[in-house]
Amino acid sequence: MKIGMTIVTPFLKKLPRAFYDRDTTLVARELLGKILVHVTGGTECRGRIVEVEAYLGPHDLAAHSARGLTPRTKTMFGEPGHAYVYLIYGMYHCMNVVTEPAGHASAVLLRALEPVANMEGKTSGPGLLCRAMRIDRGLNGCDLLSDNFYIAEMPGAEHPAIVVRPRIGVDYAGSWRPSRCAFISRAIPSSPNADGSSFAAG
């Protein structure tokens, strides 16, 4: 092995397209405990997903896709298993995972990670986890089946107990505001608003 090269260890199994092409709430729950991997600059960053929020499509008034197909939301209307990354407040990137068939326009926002490898800084909050994982808008639309940016599972890993609660920062969403579409791994404490990026995603 050449020094400086990053090799994915064999115990990580990349999630297939079919994992994402399912009910968004189910995908959100099953993303908990999975490993987000980003290989950049010869370094493999890894974080365990411990908090997510589901955004169910254009009928969900908390979702970006409720505003229709725009240059910003184009990725959400695309194929499942792609990253939807955008900027808020001019400084924080947020990462979502596109779910269900193309045109459905649903996604899962990643809200917190547990650091696993090569991550610096706080990871509780969508903006801070993107900073720690070196994720920015250059990865918007990236296929999560790629070699350098993907989500994986460790075969044999136990499914975490899950806490369910309403999503954060969606007061504008009317009757959808109290919807219990946020899922947290019970084993990992998190501070969803640690970086102030409470703006709704997905």
Side-chain angles (χ1 to χ4, degrees):
M1 177 177 121
K2 294 181 180 180
I3 295 176
M5 293 184 63
T6 302
I7 304 298
V8 177
T9 50
F11 60 84
L12 282 183
K13 181 180 179 182
K14 189 184 300 182
L15 298 179
R17 183 86 58 207
F19 176 91
Y20 305 103
D21 193 10
R22 301 181 296 154
D23 175 78
T24 303
T25 301
L26 178 62
V27 173
R29 297 178 71 100
E30 293 190 4
L31 278 173
L32 294 176
K34 301 299 190 291
I35 307 297
L36 177 63
V37 179
H38 183 207
V39 182
T40 178
T43 299
E44 185 178 85
C45 303
R46 294 186 184 184
R48 182 175 290 104
I49 299 169
V50 296
E51 184 175 353
V52 298
E53 292 181 350
Y55 290 84
L56 308 181
H59 63 290
D60 178 353
L61 298 182
H64 285 176
S65 55
R67 300 160 196 148
L69 177 60
T70 67
R72 185 190 199 195
T73 62
K74 181 180 178 180
T75 300
M76 279 192 76
F77 283 84
E79 297 289 336
H82 288 73
Y84 170 41
V85 182
Y86 59 88
L87 189 69
I88 59 171
Y89 308 141
M91 61 187 299
Y92 290 118
H93 290 93
C94 296
M95 177 187 168
N96 297 254
V97 176
V98 179
T99 58
E100 305 202 39
H104 194 275
S106 52
V108 177
L109 170 69
L110 304 188
R111 283 208 63 93
L113 299 177
E114 175 191 10
V116 174
N118 299 317
M119 297 178 65
E120 296 182 1
K122 297 178 180 179
T123 57
S124 289
L128 291 180
L129 76 83
C130 281
R131 183 176 295 171
M133 288 291 294
R134 307 178 194 178
I135 295 168
D136 59 25
R137 279 184 296 180
L139 292 171
N140 182 44
C142 183
D143 190 343
L144 291 172
L145 273 68
S146 68
D147 291 333
N148 63 351
F149 191 42
Y150 59 91
I151 299 174
E153 63 181 341
M154 287 189 271
E158 296 184 4
H159 295 291
I162 297 173
V163 175
V164 182
R165 59 155 176 78
R167 295 170 294 194
I168 291 172
V170 296
D171 291 346
Y172 58 86
S175 62
W176 281 88
R177 183 179 63 81
S179 299
R180 296 171 65 81
C181 293
F183 307 96
I184 307 169
S185 174
R186 187 186 297 273
I188 305 297
S190 63
S191 301
N193 282 322
D195 62 357
S197 52
S198 61
F199 189 80

